[in-house]
Amino acid sequence: MDGQRFSLLHYLLIHGFLSALLVTIGVKSATKSVLCSYKRSFNGFVAELTEEEARKMAGMNGVVSVFPNEKRILHTTRSWDFMGFSQQVQRANSESDVIIGVLDTGIWPESQSFNDEGLSPPPDKWKGICQDANNITCNNKVIGARYYKSNGLFGSNDIISPRDSEGHGTHTASTAAGMLVNRANLFGLGAGTARGGVPSARIAVYKICWSDGCSDADILAAFDDAIADGVDIISLSVGSATPKDYFRDSIAIGAFHAMRNGILTVTSAGNQGPRRATITIFSPWTLSVAASTIDRKFFTGVKLGNDVVYEGVSINTFDLKNETYPMIYGGDAPNLRNYTSSSSRICLVGSLDPNLVKGKIVLCDRLVSGRGPLIAGAIGALLRDNSPKDVAFSFVLPASHLDLVYGSKIFVYINSTSNATATIFKSNEANDTRAPYVASFSSRGPNPITPEILKPDLSAPGVDIVAAWSLASPVSRNRGDNRRVPFNIISGTSMACPHVSAAAAYIKSFHPTWSPSAIKSSLITTASPMSSGTNSDAEFAYGSGHLNPIEAINPGLIYDSSEVYYINFLCGQGYDTRFLGQVRRDNATCSAGTNGTLLPDLNYPSFAVFTSSSTTVRRVFNRTVTNVGSPMATYRAKVSFPIRTARVRVNPNVLSFTSVGQKLSFQVIIEGTMDAFMVSGSLVWDDGAHKARSPGGKYLLHCFLLALLTTNAASHLFQSNANANRKSYIVYMGDRLKDGASTALLHSNMVQDVFGSESKTVLYSYKKSFNGFVVDLTEEEAQKMAGMKDVVSVFPNEKRKLHTTRSWDFMGFPQQVERATMESDVIIGVFDTGIWPESLSFDDKGLGPPPSKWKGSCQFQPQDNFTCNNKIIGAKYYRTDGLFLPDDFESPIDSDGHGTHTASTAAGNLVDGASLYGFGSGTARGGVPSARIAVYKICWSDGCWDADILAGFDDAISDGVDIISISVGGGSTKDYFEDAIDIASFHAMKNGILTVISAGNDGPGRSTISNFSPWSLSVAASTIDRKFSTKVQLGNNKIYEGASINTFDLKNKMYPMIYGGDAPNTTTPSSISSRLCFSNSLDKNIVKGKIVLCDTISEGIGALLAGAAGTVIRDLNSIDYSRRFPLPASCFNLVDGRYIFQYVKFTSAPTATIFKSSEVNDSLAPYIISFSSRGPNPITPEIIKPDISAPGVHILAAWSSISPVSSIPGDNRFVTFNIISGTSMSCPHVSGAAAYVKSFHPTWSPAAIQSALMTTAAPMRSGINMEAEFAYGSGHLNPLNAKNPGLVYDANETDYINFLCGQGYATRLIQLLSEDNSTCPEDTNGTVSELNYPSFGFSTSPLKPFSRTFKRTVTNVGSPTAAYRANLRFPTGTLKIRVNPDVLSFTSVGQKLSFEVIVEGTMDKAMVSGALVWDDGEHKVRSPIVVFI
């Protein structure tokens, strides 16, 4: 059909549709609604529609899909030489016939890189045009140029032509096919010859990106033209924020049609790394490229006024000529008109006071563009944070990006020097001997839609790349930067993509008839292997390896695929014949037997198996290779794979070819059971001349924990309306006043002095254990209050979240362990949602009255029917703002269950026959059944507020508790004394109380831990040897095993099944989310009485409200623990989930039943669960956090009888014991163990108890826990050994004060904390290595020699006469570690001896860890040693 008829078709289609929909819409409005028609290469159009109109349009005959026109983002040259691809490589005569279509921000045609000298006219196949506007003309290099803006809305900085106003498109185009330009550089940096990979190739420009991003409509329009124009390769460095179904994604759609027309699309992987499954371009018909480093990096030195020089990273072309300038910390220079120090410390635009900053170098606490300091008149900026330093950025002013180690030293210098000065040097270019490795920003796999298609495909240089630039764009791409250059140095997967596009064009010039998949195969199978030691995500980071263009033109064998392969793949993915017929516009059909098993048969040049832990898997891959090497060749299969984990066989293992073009098939059979997160290797076909290498592996994915405290949406609304104009702040003033009675009056007087007659009420005063109050303030008032004498800090009253029993036996801590008679004198303060006092776990039978030290009270109302006893000896509740929500009990009674669970885990009595409907059956007990419990209810249906947390601590310290257990966290990372829990636990430590706290449920990302002060004990969550599986039987009698804790019994009855995406509730805006089964998204009339299949793990509310009989859930993530739901449910990963989806879609009357769960053994336990937050410590990286791990998965403990099993309204199951998971559950295990140690050693300090728990922890395996100590700390809790540790690393308040001095706290603040005349020692230099902590951590820079000395003192608490010898357990050949002295001889209990640990070397890995063990033959006192980048 010709293009004119297509336009008419689109007009008639939408006109007819809208006319039928709305009588008032006429021909004129329908015409306006068709914004753009795709008619040259595929069929489609852009129209303005409401959601309802879009849904109706999607149901029309002939429509494949309807999806929003979304905005995409750009994924932002010694590189060719670095890959061994020199200027003198062999070139094909037809290189000048190859056309690369670059879809980007346009081009700067005057660049020398696009000179057409020596080039003949474009090849005859070229059908494109040069859309001439604004003085842009094409030539024999840039043979075509178009621009697209379907909505017609241009920004003020946009050039309405293919001309590039941003620089990005010019850079990518020249990297791919730029001509040779000698002496290219950025102000002398990166000097050399700039060139593209195929200098003779032609460039066709398709400008799709503007100042506001890159829209789907424009991307498709460009594909439509490029395919018809005759390009050979499409290079697209653009991506999406979220993964999408293949035919709801504009790039996947465009690339599919390109593939059908013989064009390979090369795309960037994305810049959302290093988290897993962040890759957003992943269709099997595209080639996805990760970004790697080259052997060049840039350092920028900073010299302070004390002549100390620190080295950061940046591309700094400014020359301050060694002149020094005054320094200031951004947090000390807030623009008080609109900002506080919390914004100015990170140097946001407008947050800095120009009167304080002008002419100075400003220290900022975050990596920012530098515009904030520039606008404020700063001379330069130093940026410190814990983000990776593997990429250098250009800034709008002199700047250097420093790690927290150097940044903290500079911070200390500024705070300890009356006239701090510095200068910033121009950057130096240095060699990076570790290269290539994948950059931290590069998006990782696995493929979020089809995990068994390995993505990214390969990696290529994407860091510090020199290439052509637009003279309309400044170097840093920021306003206010007046530097204009013809070449620039930038980084991103956007830079990696054109390297591969050029390599693909290079292959195309030698093999013009090769298919897109043949070119892709040659690139993938010849890629250079990369090291998983440097790239911890292995193939999920770099795919098949590093681009090797020279080898790619002669791969020997190729894995070729035609359109038919991809159609069969799509059939296996659940696309039906009607749909695929519309995509292809032919009579293509899916075979009747297609059920998803065709995935292993897609002729892809890599192999991946997605499976579950401890599940035996057998997968057969069918592949066909085509001989493109020597006519007579014999290839032998060489398999490299860890034998202990899986068996890999190739059949046949010899392929003998007799002609070029001959095809031979083989099978790869992978069998085994997974005992690690990921195992990978490779298959290499080797004939002596060629090595056709394909990566292969098995992996399992961990899943994330959602918030355990369910908050009613109506409650959120109530809270937000009530507090719309209120914001409370906490004013912290250090240690308590000696006269507590006058504290409240002091607080009121302070507020009166500041605000006069204005009505300001002190909402709460802290006076028992420390000094502070809560008051409603504006940001400006808070800033004013912060400047008052005696105020340590002022910070918002933020909301925290709860971190939600065979566990004690699992740790080797049975009921019959030795107990101290003083166990009943130990009091654990539990900070949580309250308690259910009627639980048998809190019976006080056999307990005497509370110990005499107890000063607390029992706060209850007569109507509450709540009384304390000799077990629960105290109970209080806190709600500073006085706003109670409908579901809240205004008393210590627990309406949620969480607090009851944690309290009973720590100190619950023995209860025989405890279970959840028969699950977890046995004796439920706490770690210290005789200990007393003091309850401090700080959490409500809307969360846990800082003001209430502080109030609870204030009371608990004064009441006389021994251990504080708090399973709460969240919020943003804060300075120690702007964080309520850190402040409160510091004062608890001062009073001899250890605070045990949950690490958080935000894992498995790096530095997600939310509680990390050195005076508290942070606990990660590990598994026990119990897990739950729930089977689902389909109507075809196939049974799949998922995960959940399902107590419902459907008695094997089969129910109709439906896919949530096929049952949208069209009366609500949330209907588009019906496939996710969100609340109110499902149509009750369709779903009622059926089992609904959902595409993401949720709480089950949507299915429940729609009247579903049950729900089957499939999700990207593997399931490493089981959740509770308010209706029958089971969760599956995408492997089994895909089979169930295909059954539902391909069966006329699908049915299923969900069985009651089974309890099975987990032989891999203990390992750290995916949701458990990881280190390193985001404020002080060298204090290793978390400290320890303990059971936090599938824990059976007491429950509130008024909270349903799933915590979801509408669930009518009410129980006395429940099974839940979270670091909230691991925390009370350690609290109970701490109380156990305290019962034997009542005089031990908090640090001594913490040391005993950490140094006796059982070592864990980094093979299962890839983050090693950043996942599990010192290891797994071992309560039995902790009471007799042999040695302890003790610390007191003075040690922590010195630590704080080293962190840059001024003497005034230190004195407020301690309420004495404490001063910081003059020699304090910011190091944390002298804090007497029972672990050793050091953060350093890669490939930079270092030496760090740790000083420690241990106290003998074992045998009076003992000799301990130092045993170092550390990987050989990595670092040199010495202990001096290496023997400690004690002659008495309580004796203290000191030693040093010296660590020296150079780091070439992200992390190296081991341990120091002091051993006297009876005790093994173990401390981890971790060195990391």
Side-chain angles (χ1 to χ4, degrees):
M1 187 179 289
D2 61 68
Q4 190 173 7
R5 290 175 64 197
F6 264 129
S7 294
L8 180 62
L9 169 67
H10 298 161
Y11 163 75
L12 292 174
L13 180 64
I14 196 164
H15 175 58
F17 162 69
L18 292 177
S19 297
L21 183 67
L22 297 171
V23 177
T24 57
I25 294 181
V27 174
K28 183 178 179 181
S29 62
T31 305
K32 286 179 64 177
S33 295
V34 180
L35 302 177
C36 176
S37 282
Y38 310 125
K39 53 199 176 188
R40 302 184 68 198
S41 305
F42 48 88
N43 184 7
F45 59 94
V46 183
E48 292 180 350
L49 302 172
T50 65
E51 277 196 21
E52 183 179 356
E53 291 167 350
R55 278 193 300 272
K56 292 193 176 183
M57 179 72 80
M60 296 185 69
N61 186 35
V63 174
V64 174
S65 60
V66 178
F67 53 93
N69 173 24
E70 293 187 352
K71 196 180 297 182
R72 304 298 180 107
I73 52 177
L74 290 163
H75 284 162
T76 297
T77 40
R78 162 152 174 77
S79 51
W80 291 110
D81 289 315
F82 175 68
M83 291 186 290
F85 192 69
S86 67
Q87 295 183 35
Q88 294 76 31
V89 296
Q90 177 189 2
R91 298 280 180 184
N93 293 330
S94 60
E95 183 176 299
S96 61
D97 288 340
V98 179
I99 306 168
I100 301 178
V102 181
L103 280 62
D104 213 293
T105 63
I107 200 163
W108 191 261
E110 292 81 10
S111 170
Q112 294 178 63
S113 294
F114 309 124
N115 187 301
D116 66 350
E117 185 176 347
L119 288 175
S120 58
D124 293 340
K125 64 184 177 183
W126 175 243
K127 301 294 187 292
I129 63 169
C130 192
Q131 196 173 355
D132 188 5
N134 201 20
N135 192 30
I136 183 171
T137 56
C138 296
N139 60 12
N140 288 330
K141 180 65 177 178
V142 181
I143 62 173
R146 302 174 186 258
Y147 66 95
Y148 307 85
K149 189 68 172 169
S150 58
N151 64 7
L153 301 175
F154 296 93
S156 58
N157 294 321
D158 290 331
I159 300 175
I160 307 175
S161 83
R163 185 175 290 278
D164 181 9
S165 61
E166 204 270 348
H168 192 277
T170 302
H171 199 282
T172 57
S174 64
T175 300
M179 301 292 278
L180 276 68
V181 181
N182 295 322
R183 295 186 295 280
N185 66 85
L186 174 64
F187 293 105
L189 298 176
T193 298
R195 62 187 173 95
V198 278
S200 300
R202 316 302 179 116
I203 297 171
V205 176
Y206 301 87
K207 182 174 177 178
I208 56 169
C209 296
W210 305 82
S211 57
D212 63 346
C214 324
S215 79
D216 283 335
D218 298 333
I219 291 170
L220 280 171
F223 266 104
D224 190 29
D225 279 339
I227 295 167
D229 286 346
V231 302
D232 296 290
I233 305 293
I234 289 177
S235 183
L236 179 60
S237 295
V238 168
S240 174
T242 56
K244 298 177 182 177
D245 180 84
Y246 294 122
F247 284 94
R248 292 182 63 85
D249 183 274
S250 63
I251 296 175
I253 290 171
F256 183 85
H257 288 280
M259 174 272 299
R260 293 190 68 201
N261 286 273
I263 303 165
L264 174 63
T265 301
V266 183
T267 63
S268 49
N271 296 333
Q272 283 81 47
R275 291 178 296 111
R276 293 192 192 102
T278 47
I279 187 168
T280 55
I281 308 297
F282 41 74
S283 63
W285 47 84
T286 59
L287 182 58
S288 304
V289 188
S292 58
T293 58
I294 60 174
D295 58 347
R296 171 173 62 205
K297 56 184 177 180
F298 298 95
F299 292 115
T300 303
V302 177
K303 185 178 181 180
L304 306 184
N306 60 5
D307 290 333
V308 176
V309 177
Y310 297 107
E311 202 168 62
V313 295
S314 70
I315 301 174
N316 179 41
T317 68
F318 299 99
D319 189 356
L320 297 183
K321 302 185 184 302
N322 294 336
E323 183 177 347
T324 59
Y325 293 86
M327 294 192 75
I328 191 169
Y329 173 51
D332 294 333
N335 180 355
L336 295 178
R337 286 178 298 176
N338 299 301
Y339 296 91
T340 66
S341 59
S342 62
S343 297
S344 67
R345 74 180 183 86
I346 56 179
C347 301
L348 297 179
V349 173
S351 68
L352 295 165
D353 187 338
N355 296 319
L356 298 175
V357 171
K358 189 175 182 180
K360 295 184 176 71
I361 292 174
V362 61
L363 175 65
C364 309
D365 282 345
R366 183 182 293 176
L367 177 63
V368 290
S369 68
R371 287 197 67 231
L374 180 77
I375 291 171
I379 288 292
L382 303 181
L383 315 166
R384 63 168 188 164
D385 64 11
N386 63 350
S387 66
K389 306 296 182 293
D390 54 351
V391 181
F393 299 101
S394 291
F395 296 92
V396 71
L397 78 173
S400 187
H401 182 202
L402 301 124
D403 60 28
L404 285 183
V405 176
Y406 289 163
S408 297
K409 292 178 178 180
I410 295 172
F411 176 77
V412 170
Y413 166 73
I414 293 174
N415 278 279
S416 60
T417 307
S418 56
N419 295 301
T421 60
T423 193
I424 302 172
F425 297 123
K426 192 175 178 182
S427 295
N428 289 317
E429 191 170 335
N431 185 258
D432 188 348
T433 57
R434 291 195 306 154
Y437 52 89
V438 177
S440 58
F441 62 73
S442 187
S443 291
R444 267 59 171 178
N447 181 327
I449 297 294
T450 314
E452 295 185 331
I453 299 293
L454 183 63
K455 291 286 177 172
D457 290 298
L458 80 169
S459 72
V463 177
D464 299 336
I465 305 301
V466 178
W469 197 247
S470 166
L471 292 179
S473 178
V475 169
S476 65
R477 291 181 280 180
N478 280 297
R479 292 195 306 274
D481 185 350
N482 296 319
R483 296 169 297 168
R484 299 293 189 273
V485 293
F487 290 88
N488 203 356
I489 301 173
I490 60 175
S491 302
T493 53
S494 285
M495 283 63 256
C497 172
H499 281 92
V500 177
S501 303
Y506 182 65
I507 297 169
K508 185 78 172 178
S509 70
F510 285 91
H511 308 286
T513 63
W514 277 15
S515 70
S517 61
I519 296 173
K520 183 201 296 193
S521 171
S522 65
L523 291 164
I524 290 177
T525 60
T526 60
S528 303
M530 297 183 73
S531 167
S532 60
T534 321
N535 308 275
S536 60
D537 296 304
E539 283 79 5
F540 293 151
Y542 48 68
S544 296
H546 201 251
L547 177 65
N548 188 341
I550 287 281
E551 297 293 326
I553 60 167
N554 186 18
L557 302 176
I558 55 172
Y559 295 75
D560 205 357
S561 292
S562 64
E563 181 185 355
V564 173
Y565 277 99
Y566 295 116
I567 290 295
N568 288 339
F569 161 79
L570 291 168
C571 288
Q573 293 292 292
Y575 292 91
D576 59 25
T577 294
R578 181 192 67 84
F579 182 93
L580 294 173
Q582 290 169 357
V583 170
R584 294 183 56 175
R585 295 290 164 187
D586 62 14
N587 295 320
T589 61
C590 290
S591 62
T594 301
N595 62 358
T597 58
L598 287 175
L599 180 58
D601 296 341
L602 178 63
N603 206 35
Y604 211 74
S606 61
F607 308 82
V609 179
F610 178 73
T611 185
S612 304
S613 61
S614 303
T615 299
T616 300
V617 65
R618 184 178 189 273
R619 182 61 54 86
V620 178
F621 295 88
N622 296 301
R623 292 291 191 271
T624 299
V625 287
T626 305
N627 181 24
V628 294
S630 305
M632 303 290 292
T634 299
Y635 286 83
R636 288 174 172 79
K638 296 181 178 179
V639 175
S640 172
F641 212 80
I643 297 175
R644 69 175 180 83
T645 56
R647 182 186 178 200
V648 180
R649 291 180 290 121
V650 182
N651 184 30
N653 61 3
V654 176
L655 298 177
S656 296
F657 294 91
T658 57
S659 63
V660 174
Q662 182 182 359
K663 298 178 184 289
L664 292 177
S665 298
F666 65 93
Q667 290 185 330
V668 175
I669 303 101
I670 302 179
E671 300 171 296
T673 303
M674 285 293 287
D675 64 352
F677 167 80
M678 175 182 180
V679 181
S680 64
S682 63
L683 162 65
V684 179
W685 286 107
D686 190 345
D687 71 342
H690 307 93
K691 290 181 171 59
R693 178 183 174 274
S694 296
K698 300 199 306 176
Y699 57 95
L700 36 96
L701 289 178
H702 296 307
C703 50
F704 296 89
L705 179 71
L706 303 176
L708 286 176
L709 178 64
T710 304
T711 305
N712 189 298
S715 299
H716 275 304
L717 181 63
F718 174 86
Q719 181 66 22
S720 61
N721 289 340
N723 291 318
N725 298 309
R726 299 180 59 188
K727 189 170 185 180
S728 59
Y729 280 80
I730 295 164
V731 181
Y732 173 57
M733 302 176 65
D735 205 13
R736 69 182 181 89
L737 298 177
K738 303 303 183 231
D739 181 10
S742 62
T743 303
L745 180 61
L746 169 67
H747 296 162
S748 296
N749 289 340
M750 282 182 66
V751 173
Q752 185 72 22
D753 289 344
V754 175
F755 304 109
S757 59
E758 184 182 347
S759 177
K760 291 282 182 186
T761 303
V762 174
L763 301 176
Y764 193 90
S765 283
Y766 310 118
K767 52 194 176 186
K768 298 176 182 177
S769 307
F770 47 87
N771 185 7
F773 58 94
V774 184
V775 63
D776 283 343
L777 301 172
T778 64
E779 280 198 16
E780 185 177 354
E781 292 168 344
Q783 186 64 42
K784 187 174 182 181
M785 183 70 79
M788 294 185 67
K789 182 185 177 184
D790 297 336
V791 172
V792 175
S793 58
V794 178
F795 52 93
N797 173 25
E798 292 189 352
K799 183 163 50 178
R800 307 296 181 107
K801 56 187 178 183
L802 290 164
H803 285 162
T804 299
T805 309
R806 174 158 159 71
S807 51
W808 291 108
D809 289 316
F810 176 69
M811 292 186 291
F813 192 68
Q815 295 181 33
Q816 295 77 25
V817 295
E818 179 188 2
R819 300 279 179 184
T821 55
M822 292 188 62
E823 184 176 298
S824 62
D825 287 342
V826 178
I827 306 169
I828 301 178
V830 180
F831 285 58
D832 215 291
T833 61
I835 201 164
W836 189 256
E838 289 83 2
S839 170
L840 293 174
S841 293
F842 309 125
D843 188 289
D844 65 351
K845 186 177 181 180
L847 288 173
S852 57
K853 65 183 178 183
W854 175 243
K855 301 294 188 292
S857 62
C858 195
Q859 185 183 8
F860 64 93
Q861 305 292 337
Q863 68 271 19
D864 290 338
N865 192 28
F866 184 104
T867 56
C868 294
N869 59 13
N870 288 330
K871 181 65 177 179
I872 304 171
I873 61 174
K876 300 183 180 183
Y877 64 95
Y878 304 86
R879 185 72 194 202
T880 307
D881 61 11
L883 299 175
F884 296 94
L885 303 183
D887 293 333
D888 291 331
F889 279 96
E890 195 174 339
S891 81
I893 288 177
D894 180 11
S895 59
D896 176 86
H898 192 277
T900 301
H901 199 280
T902 56
S904 64
T905 300
N909 273 317
L910 278 68
V911 181
D912 294 325
S915 74
L916 173 64
Y917 292 103
F919 294 139
S921 181
T923 300
R925 62 187 174 94
V928 277
S930 301
R932 316 301 178 117
I933 297 171
V935 176
Y936 299 88
K937 182 175 176 178
I938 55 165
C939 296
W940 306 83
S941 58
D942 65 342
C944 322
W945 293 91
D946 283 342
D948 301 330
I949 292 170
L950 283 169
F953 267 93
D954 191 28
D955 279 345
I957 295 168
S958 176
D959 288 346
V961 303
D962 296 291
I963 305 292
I964 288 176
S965 183
I966 178 167
S967 295
V968 168
S972 57
T973 300
K974 297 180 182 176
D975 180 84
Y976 292 121
F977 287 95
E978 290 186 351
D979 183 275
I981 297 176
D982 289 344
I983 289 170
S985 58
F986 181 86
H987 288 281
M989 174 274 299
K990 285 185 62 178
N991 287 273
I993 303 166
L994 174 63
T995 300
V996 183
I997 190 162
S998 49
N1001 294 334
D1002 299 316
R1006 185 180 168 99
S1007 289
T1008 48
I1009 187 168
S1010 59
N1011 298 307
F1012 41 77
S1013 64
W1015 47 82
S1016 63
L1017 182 58
S1018 303
V1019 188
S1022 58
T1023 58
I1024 60 174
D1025 58 349
R1026 170 171 65 203
K1027 59 182 180 180
F1028 298 91
S1029 66
T1030 304
K1031 294 178 180 178
V1032 172
Q1033 181 175 336
L1034 305 183
N1036 59 8
N1037 291 325
K1038 290 190 176 181
I1039 295 177
Y1040 297 97
E1041 193 171 84
S1044 69
I1045 301 175
N1046 179 42
T1047 69
F1048 300 98
D1049 188 355
L1050 297 183
K1051 302 184 185 301
N1052 297 338
K1053 180 181 177 181
M1054 303 298 287
Y1055 290 84
M1057 281 198 84
I1058 190 168
Y1059 174 50
D1062 294 334
N1065 177 5
T1066 57
T1067 64
T1068 69
S1070 61
S1071 64
I1072 200 168
S1073 304
S1074 68
R1075 72 181 186 86
L1076 308 176
C1077 301
F1078 288 161
S1079 183
N1080 297 317
S1081 68
L1082 296 166
D1083 188 331
K1084 296 179 182 180
N1085 297 321
I1086 302 176
V1087 171
K1088 188 175 183 181
K1090 296 183 176 71
I1091 292 175
V1092 60
L1093 174 63
C1094 307
D1095 278 347
T1096 193
I1097 293 177
S1098 62
E1099 295 169 324
I1101 299 176
L1104 181 73
L1105 293 178
T1111 180
V1112 175
I1113 300 166
R1114 62 175 189 159
D1115 197 275
L1116 160 68
N1117 300 300
S1118 174
I1119 317 299
D1120 58 353
Y1121 75 103
S1122 297
R1123 299 164 170 83
R1124 302 153 295 135
F1125 295 90
L1127 75 172
S1130 187
C1131 301
F1132 295 88
N1133 59 36
L1134 286 187
V1135 178
D1136 289 343
R1138 184 170 61 243
Y1139 297 148
I1140 298 172
F1141 171 78
Q1142 286 151 1
Y1143 167 75
V1144 174
K1145 296 291 284 185
F1146 296 146
T1147 306
S1148 58
T1151 60
T1153 191
I1154 302 171
F1155 297 115
K1156 192 174 179 181
S1157 295
S1158 299
E1159 189 172 338
V1160 295
N1161 182 262
D1162 188 349
S1163 59
L1164 287 177
Y1167 52 88
I1168 302 301
I1169 204 72
S1170 59
F1171 61 70
S1172 186
S1173 291
R1174 267 58 170 181
N1177 182 326
I1179 296 293
T1180 314
E1182 296 183 333
I1183 300 293
I1184 298 173
K1185 291 287 177 170
D1187 293 298
I1188 199 169
S1189 75
V1193 180
H1194 304 151
I1195 306 302
L1196 177 75
W1199 194 248
S1200 169
S1201 294
I1202 56 173
S1203 179
V1205 168
S1206 64
S1207 300
I1208 303 298
D1211 183 352
N1212 296 320
R1213 296 168 299 164
F1214 296 94
V1215 294
T1216 54
F1217 288 88
N1218 205 352
I1219 299 173
I1220 60 176
S1221 302
T1223 53
S1224 285
M1225 284 62 258
S1226 57
C1227 171
H1229 281 93
V1230 177
S1231 304
Y1236 180 68
V1237 174
K1238 182 80 172 178
S1239 70
F1240 284 92
H1241 308 285
T1243 62
W1244 278 14
S1245 69
I1249 296 173
Q1250 180 171 344
S1251 172
L1253 293 165
M1254 290 172 64
T1255 60
T1256 60
M1260 296 184 73
R1261 290 185 291 165
S1262 59
I1264 301 178
N1265 308 278
M1266 290 193 303
E1267 300 88 357
E1269 283 78 6
F1270 292 150
Y1272 48 68
S1274 295
H1276 200 251
L1277 178 65
N1278 187 341
L1280 205 52
N1281 285 355
K1283 72 177 174 56
N1284 184 19
L1287 304 175
V1288 294
Y1289 293 76
D1290 207 357
N1292 56 30
E1293 180 186 355
T1294 302
D1295 293 299
Y1296 296 117
I1297 290 292
N1298 289 338
F1299 161 79
L1300 292 168
C1301 289
Q1303 293 292 292
Y1305 288 87
T1307 295
R1308 182 186 71 85
L1309 291 178
I1310 296 299
Q1311 290 176 348
L1312 288 172
L1313 290 175
S1314 58
E1315 278 297 307
D1316 59 22
N1317 295 320
S1318 298
T1319 59
C1320 290
E1322 292 184 3
D1323 61 348
T1324 300
N1325 62 0
T1327 181
V1328 300
S1329 58
E1330 295 187 17
L1331 178 62
N1332 206 36
Y1333 210 71
S1335 61
F1336 304 83
F1338 180 54
S1339 173
T1340 186
S1341 301
L1343 300 176
K1344 184 173 182 178
F1346 68 88
S1347 177
R1348 174 53 62 97
T1349 301
F1350 298 88
K1351 297 180 179 180
R1352 294 290 191 271
T1353 299
V1354 287
T1355 305
N1356 182 24
V1357 294
S1359 306
T1361 303
Y1364 286 83
R1365 287 171 173 78
N1367 292 328
L1368 285 169
R1369 300 172 182 175
F1370 216 81
T1372 57
T1374 53
L1375 301 171
K1376 181 182 179 183
I1377 303 179
R1378 292 177 288 119
V1379 181
N1380 184 29
D1382 59 0
V1383 176
L1384 298 177
S1385 297
F1386 294 92
T1387 57
S1388 62
V1389 173
Q1391 183 182 359
K1392 297 178 184 290
L1393 291 177
S1394 298
F1395 65 93
E1396 291 181 342
V1397 174
I1398 303 99
V1399 183
E1400 299 172 306
T1402 303
M1403 284 290 286
D1404 61 356
K1405 295 182 179 179
M1407 176 182 179
V1408 179
S1409 65
L1412 163 65
V1413 181
W1414 287 107
D1415 190 343
D1416 70 343
E1418 179 185 355
H1419 307 92
K1420 287 181 170 57
V1421 187
R1422 181 181 177 277
S1423 294
I1425 303 173
V1426 182
V1427 184
F1428 58 99
I1429 296 173

